[in-house]
Amino acid sequence: MRHAAGLLLGVLLTPALLAGAAWGYAQAAESFDGGDRVITDHTRGYGAFALLAAVGLAAGVVIVARWASPLVSLVPALALLGLSAAFLADPGAVLGLPARAHAPGDLDFGLRMLLGSGVDAMLGFALLVPTWAPRRWGGRDADEAPVESYSPAGR
């Protein structure tokens, strides 16, 4: 049951991580002028950084959570690494996917930029590492050592 819930959570987490990171990236990119080294829209910039921090927090929790099934991190890891491999094999076809899915302009831009810059691959590898931990595949009982009860009358 734990792994079934982990699979479902991983399937739901994948588009949330992709969309959150992509939209946050696009908003952050539009909030400053790199040439003049100034922030042009503080509100947009703060919102973008808050969203990116939330995506990072969610990924971090999935990476370190002892309670989580390894499928919670394995599903998005395989999706991100698969997209990255497909991008390296045929960039034009993969970069056209967001437009074919009718992603809004900012989301389309962010998805393409994160994929093309290797950020998706980096996040995919970070999410893949916890799946190798044997404690993630065992049940909750495997992590807990038996506790002997102390009873003063039981001597």
Side-chain angles (χ1 to χ4, degrees), residues 18 21 27-28 40 63 69 74 89-90 92 104 111 117 126 129 132 136 138 142-143 151:
L18 276 169
Q27 296 303 309
T40 57
I63 289 170
S69 164
L74 182 62
D90 187 7
L111 288 168
S117 64
V129 171
W132 293 328
R136 297 290 286 278
D143 290 337
S151 172

Side-chain angles (χ1 to χ4, degrees), residues 11-61:
V11 168
L12 295 174
L13 185 64
T14 301
L17 285 175
L18 276 169
W23 194 78
Y25 173 85
Q27 296 303 309
E30 291 181 13
S31 69
F32 74 98
D33 183 358
D36 290 337
R37 294 187 244 169
V38 296
I39 297 175
T40 57
D41 187 348
H42 287 280
T43 304
R44 178 180 280 184
Y46 294 152
F49 274 63
L51 178 59
L52 290 169
V55 169
L57 179 64
V61 166

Side-chain angles (χ1 to χ4, degrees), residues 76-106:
L78 292 178
L80 290 166
L81 292 173
L83 278 172
S84 298
F87 169 75
L88 292 174
D90 187 7
V94 177
L95 291 176
L97 288 175
R100 286 194 295 258
H102 305 292
D106 287 345

Side-chain angles (χ1 to χ4, degrees), residues 145-149:
V147 178
E148 295 181 26
S149 63

